[in-house]
Amino acid sequence: ENHVERLAEDHQKAKEIEAVLQSLSYVKKVEPVETNILIFYVQDDMDANEFIAKMADKGILLTPMGDGKIRIVTHLDYTDNMHEILLKELTKF
């Protein structure tokens, strides 16, 4: 009910993250993005919790879902600056 007009912006950012994730060798799979929620899996030889911890050290909070599955959510408080930082940091692994 609130901030409905912002959903398109959040969805666009999610699609941009999806495109970057699909280009990364350490990403095994990206679930199709339908909203502002992204779910992806890291390769079996990568420790998802270690990846999440390293991103947290950079101020990027990701949600572990078990078995190499990770969730990212774009939302009202997710700024353009945060978006650029996330995209850049994802490519550093």
Side-chain angles (χ1 to χ4, degrees), residues 58-71:
K58 298 170 189 239
I60 299 168
L61 304 179
L62 307 175
T63 305
M65 298 182 74
D67 296 325
K69 188 176 183 180
I70 301 170
R71 185 176 87 155

Side-chain angles (χ1 to χ4, degrees), residues 9-47:
E9 183 179 332
D10 292 335
H11 180 70
Q12 179 58 39
K13 286 178 180 172
K15 294 298 278 182
E16 291 171 9
I17 298 166
E18 176 187 34
V20 168
L21 288 171
Q22 290 192 9
S23 74
L24 300 171
S25 63
Y26 66 86
V27 174
K28 180 171 158 177
K29 177 183 176 185
V30 182
E31 296 286 340
V33 173
E34 298 176 9
T35 62
N36 62 326
I37 299 170
L38 293 105
I39 296 175
F40 69 101
Y41 301 78
V42 294
Q43 295 289 352
D44 294 335
D45 62 348
M46 179 179 238
D47 184 326

